[in-house]
Amino acid sequence: MSQIIGFPRIGENRELKKALEGFWSGKIRQAELENVAKELRARHWEAQKDLEYVCVNDFSLYDNMLDLAYALGAKPPRFSSLGGLEGYFAMARGHKSGVACEMTKWFNTNYHYVVPELSIHDIYKVNASSIVSQYKEAKALGFKPKISLIGIFTFLALSKITQGDFASVFANVKNAYFTLLDELKNLDSEVVIEFNEPILARGVDERFFSLLKPTYDAIAEKGIKAIVTSFFEHSNEASEILLESSIYGLGLDFVAGSNNIEILSKFAKSNKVLFAGVIDGRNIWVADLESKLALLEQIATHIPKNRIVISSSCSLLHAPFSKASEHRMDKEILSWLSFGLDKIRELLILDSAFRGDTSEEIQNLLAQNKAIINARSTSEKIHNQAVHKRLASPIKTERDAPFADRIASQRQTLKYPDLATTTIGSFPQTPELRVLRLGYKKGEINKSVYEKGIKEYIQECVAFQEEIGLDVLVHGEPERNDMVEYFGEQMSGFVFSQNAWVQSYGSRCVKPPIIYGDVARPNPMTIEWITYAQSLTKKIMKGMLTGPVTILNWSFVRDDIPRSLVCKQIALGIADEIDDLQNAGVTIIQVDEAAFKEGYPLRTENIKEYEQWALESFKIATAVAHKNTQIHTHMCYSEFNDIIKTIEAMDADVISIETARSGNELLKVFKQVGYTHEVGPGVYDIHSPRIPSVEEIKSQIKALLEVLPKGQLWINPDCGLKTRKWEEVKPSLKNMVEATKQIRDTL
């Protein structure tokens, strides 16, 4: 018996992305969008047909947290009058009725979820129609369905409670959640529901641990075949409680949560079925089936094999779909990789071998796997002796002057005003730009044509920024396909796919670089375009780099050496780039660490080690900066309360953060700790197509000034503008600059 927790939903060729964007732009109707979704589900179930179950309700038009909120009727009051897909997408993308719900990272992954807003005053109207229809679709096609559902405790713990407390809101949500389950339990003679509870991997939570057993006992009493699954770490504290409950099975992650092995002695005393997550759902390396079989045999010393279901460690949402279209990648490296469909095959091979199948076919498949594992471990492609030698030498980790001295000198030499205006870096990636880059990459246009097109775009970006009066300019990044991929393409130790897309949020997909070997920066990566942009203006042109921690966290990382060592290798390459930029006259350099927070371990006891090497890597990258070189960094959707001291220790001169969807709440922690460095809180949300008015942005700036003084604040959008259209970007930035001018006039 084998299963997966969820499957990639965007489609092998990003069919869902294209349909969604077509629907949002009015090019296709709702019926066509729904047909694309239905066809994708059928295709994805077909890929799972040899597993114990096919996953139902893991598919989503945007996000599963949003799906559950909408199914429960948990809509914010500003959207209460909206129904159907209009109301659904309003919560995710914003609407004339109000700003979208916040988005933040799904635990320590690069996937974003929409944060539900809950209040004690909510009146829920449950609608299970989407789940019901998907279940019936699967049954009609002859598949055995298992409903994937966000668990009630994960849903609540990750939601934003606007009024009331956890206990009071829980009672309301539980009633609605149970009403939803009542509509689902009658779908079949036996309805299997896998309740995804990754929140349990964070450890004991006093808000709800006492509620775990009675809640899941009540769910089991409904006649539901309930599986409670946690992932991304071990969850021994919760497992101990759930083993005493009436649920059918417990899913545990033995890839990221190796300590789950410790609960097995207690597991053996129960009658529960173990869903053993042994195939990595988050990384892309071929599984060592020999070692996985050894792990399963170890598990089987505690639990009978007939009570073990072999599973992915988490949803395959975080993995690419298939290697079928990877025709350009080095064939040796490609042989080391395992994407979504490959992981299903690995599960099926493991299951056969674990159950005693000694057929020639299975033995050959195991032998092939062993040969791949051995070939990778001995390949010369993964080692770079020059990198090893540099790591063995002393490495600088501190700036030459303290912040107070640096900022005084920078203010004097750079001469930027209070409430200085800038952007985070990127401007819209137009269809023409994508065609230009793709044509050059395919050899369909020559270098001179490509460079002419890039320069024309940069000229337009600079002219627009000067026209509206921005203080610190950017070149717009037209040469970059992605903020990580662009740098990875120019560093050794990286390889790139043609079609290994994974979903980041909604229709937004990314194609993470693959780090297979030692990393180095052979040549400068950004100087040509930054210096060209600077030649077009007398204003400051900001250099734009991606930080080492973000490059690491947004890549598929080799698993044969510690992540900390890979990050240090990347940091040395970024340090070389900063040095070249400042020696070329670039005075402000932004080193984006958008993914710094998302890499944090889920369990408190592991945080110190991560902070130590992540912080060291950032400081290795930036310590080379001269006193008058101003280092900026940017962080996405982060709660900073628990890491504010680490942010201080990063010692960036300016940090920009995403705050537009949460007012100035995130900013208050900077004041509480007496943060002295400069801060650029986002004054409008770029993830929504809305164009903020001057008055709206003025109100936002006034709120910021209630927290920090004008001399400490920069004014900028929430994030880069590459995913927006020029017709949204131009008026939004004009309004931002005008709002800032009007506020300055009053100070």
Side-chain angles (χ1 to χ4, degrees):
M1 296 179 289
S2 55
Q3 68 136 33
I4 57 174
I5 295 173
F7 194 76
R9 56 189 177 232
I10 208 72
E12 184 171 13
N13 296 300
R14 294 181 293 162
E15 294 92 334
L16 182 60
K17 169 189 173 66
K18 295 164 189 173
L20 282 169
E21 292 175 357
F23 175 71
W24 293 334
S25 64
K27 294 177 182 176
I28 68 171
R29 296 182 181 274
Q30 180 174 334
E32 189 174 343
L33 172 63
E34 291 174 345
N35 282 338
V36 170
K38 187 174 182 178
E39 289 170 6
L40 284 174
R41 288 194 292 267
R43 212 178 303 164
H44 299 168
W45 291 330
E46 180 66 23
Q48 303 169 53
K49 66 181 180 181
D50 294 325
L51 298 171
E52 181 72 9
Y53 309 105
V54 300
C55 296
V56 166
N57 197 48
D58 60 330
F59 187 89
S60 174
L61 290 177
Y62 205 95
D63 166 58
N64 289 130
M65 283 286 286
L66 173 62
D67 291 349
L68 181 54
Y70 212 64
L72 296 177
K75 292 193 292 187
R78 61 189 179 278
F79 301 130
S80 60
S81 63
L82 304 177
L85 286 187
E86 183 183 24
Y88 177 83
F89 287 129
M91 290 172 66
R93 305 180 72 237
H95 189 272
K96 61 185 178 183
S97 301
V99 298
C101 297
E102 293 178 34
M103 278 199 307
T104 194
K105 295 297 176 72
W106 178 249
F107 296 89
N108 54 0
T109 75
N110 187 30
Y111 176 77
H112 301 67
Y113 72 91
V114 177
V115 181
E117 296 175 19
L118 307 177
S119 164
I120 192 173
H121 302 299
D122 289 338
I123 299 174
Y124 299 123
K125 294 181 180 178
V126 173
N127 184 349
S129 60
S130 176
I131 306 174
V132 169
S133 64
Q134 289 183 45
Y135 191 95
K136 289 180 177 179
E137 281 174 32
K139 287 283 287 186
L141 292 170
F143 299 113
K144 181 181 177 182
K146 172 199 67 177
I147 297 173
S148 297
L149 197 64
I150 302 286
I152 185 171
F153 299 105
T154 295
F155 178 76
L156 266 164
L158 298 185
S159 293
K160 179 179 182 179
I161 296 177
T162 57
Q163 290 180 294
D165 56 18
F166 189 95
S168 59
V169 171
F170 175 79
N172 249 355
V173 172
K174 181 184 173 185
N175 288 338
Y177 196 87
F178 276 31
T179 300
L180 179 71
L181 294 180
D182 287 338
E183 292 194 33
L184 300 179
K185 71 180 183 181
N186 296 321
L187 278 170
D188 225 326
S189 57
E190 181 182 73
V191 174
V192 181
I193 301 181
E194 184 163 31
F195 296 90
N196 292 326
E197 291 281 21
I199 197 66
L200 303 180
R202 290 194 182 277
V204 175
D205 191 320
E206 298 296 341
R207 294 174 299 173
F208 62 77
F209 257 52
S210 63
L211 302 171
L212 273 175
K213 184 179 183 301
T215 300
Y216 276 106
D217 278 343
I219 288 172
E221 285 170 10
K222 292 178 179 292
I224 291 168
K225 197 172 185 179
I227 307 160
V228 179
T229 298
S230 64
F231 35 86
F232 301 147
E233 246 294 1
H234 81 80
S235 53
N236 289 341
E237 302 91 343
S239 296
E240 192 167 348
I241 295 171
L242 289 167
L243 286 173
E244 300 296 325
S245 73
S246 304
I247 62 172
Y248 167 73
L250 193 60
L252 302 176
D253 180 348
F254 289 93
V255 176
S258 57
N259 286 352
N260 274 319
I261 207 83
E262 296 171 2
I263 200 68
L264 295 182
S265 58
K266 294 182 179 178
F267 208 115
K269 299 172 184 176
S270 76
N271 62 348
K272 304 289 183 287
V273 172
L274 172 64
F275 290 75
V278 297
I279 294 296
D280 194 344
R282 288 183 59 177
N283 217 330
I284 43 76
W285 303 104
V286 165
D288 182 344
L289 297 184
E290 186 175 70
S291 69
K292 298 297 183 185
L293 279 170
L295 172 59
L296 287 167
E297 293 295 346
Q298 181 185 359
I299 292 171
T301 63
H302 299 278
I303 304 167
K305 288 188 177 184
N306 63 0
R307 282 174 41 209
I308 299 173
V309 177
I310 304 172
S311 177
S312 60
S313 64
C314 62
S315 172
L316 302 187
L317 167 73
H318 310 287
F321 187 93
S322 166
K323 295 195 297 184
S325 60
E326 301 301 330
H327 307 303
R328 298 177 193 161
M329 192 184 297
D330 180 296
K331 285 185 168 47
E332 182 183 4
I333 296 172
L334 184 62
S335 72
W336 304 340
L337 306 183
S338 175
F339 292 176
L341 294 182
D342 306 297
K343 292 178 184 296
I344 290 177
R345 284 191 288 271
E346 288 174 342
L347 281 165
L348 293 170
I349 295 167
L350 265 183
D351 189 45
S352 294
F354 183 57
R355 310 294 172 193
D357 186 341
T358 58
S359 66
E360 183 178 356
E361 179 187 7
I362 293 299
Q363 295 311 305
N364 285 341
L365 290 170
L366 291 173
Q368 290 170 20
N369 174 263
K370 187 171 184 177
I372 291 170
I373 299 301
N374 290 339
R376 179 185 170 208
S377 66
T378 57
S379 175
E380 294 181 359
K381 292 180 178 178
I382 66 176
H383 299 297
N384 184 327
Q385 293 306 316
V387 173
H388 296 176
K389 184 177 179 180
R390 189 174 182 186
L391 287 169
S393 304
I395 298 173
K396 185 179 181 183
T397 59
E398 298 292 340
R399 300 282 295 271
D400 290 333
F403 171 73
D405 292 348
R406 295 197 314 265
I407 200 66
S409 180
Q410 291 164 12
R411 281 275 187 168
Q412 185 175 11
T413 57
L414 301 179
K415 295 182 171 57
Y416 58 88
D418 293 339
L419 303 180
T421 55
T422 188
T423 67
I424 302 304
S426 59
F427 276 131
Q429 293 277 307
T430 63
E432 294 79 10
L433 263 184
R434 294 191 181 98
V435 168
L436 180 71
R437 281 200 310 266
L438 184 61
Y440 181 56
K441 196 169 188 178
K442 288 182 174 181
E444 296 170 354
I445 60 173
N446 61 33
K447 186 177 181 181
S448 62
V449 172
Y450 168 73
E451 291 184 347
K452 181 175 182 289
I454 295 295
K455 286 181 177 180
E456 287 175 351
Y457 188 92
I458 292 174
Q459 291 165 11
E460 293 170 6
C461 288
V462 173
F464 167 67
Q465 292 172 89
E466 287 199 314
E467 176 192 336
I468 65 172
L470 278 168
D471 298 306
V472 174
L473 313 190
V474 297
H475 78 294
E477 304 177 18
E479 78 285 7
R480 305 183 191 184
N481 44 4
D482 175 83
M483 65 181 288
V484 173
E485 185 172 349
Y486 176 79
F487 292 96
E489 285 177 337
Q490 300 180 77
M491 301 176 91
S492 63
F494 284 80
V495 72
F496 294 86
S497 66
Q498 291 170 257
N499 206 35
W501 297 98
V502 292
Q503 189 178 18
S504 179
Y505 62 86
S507 69
R508 169 76 169 144
C509 301
V510 294
K511 191 154 54 71
I514 298 164
I515 304 175
Y516 71 89
D518 292 328
V519 177
R521 186 210 72 149
N523 300 296
M525 301 182 286
T526 64
I527 290 173
E528 177 184 3
W529 300 118
I530 298 296
T531 53
Y532 172 72
Q534 184 65 80
S535 73
L536 302 174
T537 181
K538 292 182 180 179
K539 288 192 171 185
I540 298 170
M541 180 61 58
K542 185 165 54 170
M544 299 301 305
L545 305 176
T546 303
V549 183
T550 294
I551 290 176
L552 181 90
N553 284 335
W554 283 358
S555 297
F556 291 122
V557 183
R558 60 190 292 193
D559 58 355
D560 58 333
I561 64 174
R563 289 172 67 88
S564 57
L565 185 56
V566 180
C567 200
K568 188 178 288 189
Q569 293 177 0
I570 300 169
L572 289 170
I574 299 300
D576 292 343
E577 189 71 14
I578 289 175
D579 199 28
D580 283 345
L581 282 169
Q582 66 184 356
N583 291 335
V586 179
T587 53
I588 295 182
I589 302 171
Q590 184 168 306
V591 185
D592 283 334
E593 284 294 12
F596 191 95
K597 177 69 185 288
E598 76 183 43
Y600 267 67
L602 301 186
R603 301 195 60 98
T604 305
E605 62 265 28
N606 299 326
I607 287 175
K608 185 176 181 181
E609 180 186 3
Y610 171 80
E611 283 188 328
Q612 184 175 11
W613 63 255
L615 177 60
E616 180 189 43
S617 294
F618 181 82
K619 295 182 79 171
I620 287 171
T622 57
V624 69
H626 301 155
K627 180 179 180 179
N628 287 338
T629 299
Q630 187 171 82
I631 296 294
H632 290 221
T633 191
H634 172 69
M635 288 187 172
C636 292
Y637 293 121
S638 294
E639 295 291 342
F640 295 122
N641 301 58
D642 53 342
I643 68 164
I644 188 65
K645 291 298 181 184
T646 304
I647 291 175
E648 283 188 300
M650 290 172 73
D651 201 26
D653 301 306
V654 182
I655 179 174
S656 56
I657 56 176
E658 297 192 40
T659 58
R661 291 193 182 191
S662 56
N664 61 6
E665 289 303 311
L666 289 181
L667 193 59
K668 289 180 180 178
V669 68
F670 287 83
K671 180 178 183 179
Q672 291 165 4
V673 301
Y675 190 80
T676 57
H677 296 38
E678 296 187 0
V679 185
V683 295
Y684 78 89
D685 174 26
I686 68 91
H687 296 89
S688 169
R690 291 180 66 253
I691 297 169
S693 66
V694 171
E695 289 304 315
E696 184 180 328
I697 297 176
K698 281 174 65 177
S699 297
Q700 187 81 353
I701 296 172
K702 288 176 183 177
L704 301 178
L705 287 166
E706 292 175 2
V707 182
L708 292 177
K710 62 181 181 179
Q712 202 174 345
L713 287 170
W714 286 63
I715 304 301
N716 46 257
D718 244 357
C719 199
L721 300 164
K722 67 179 291 184
T723 61
R724 299 267 56 92
K725 297 177 181 177
W726 274 114
E727 53 264 37
E728 300 159 357
V729 166
K730 286 186 176 181
S732 296
L733 288 180
K734 284 180 182 178
N735 290 349
M736 185 186 83
V737 173
E738 178 58 30
T740 304
K741 287 178 180 177
Q742 291 185 23
I743 292 291
R744 281 183 191 150
D745 290 343
T746 67
L747 299 176

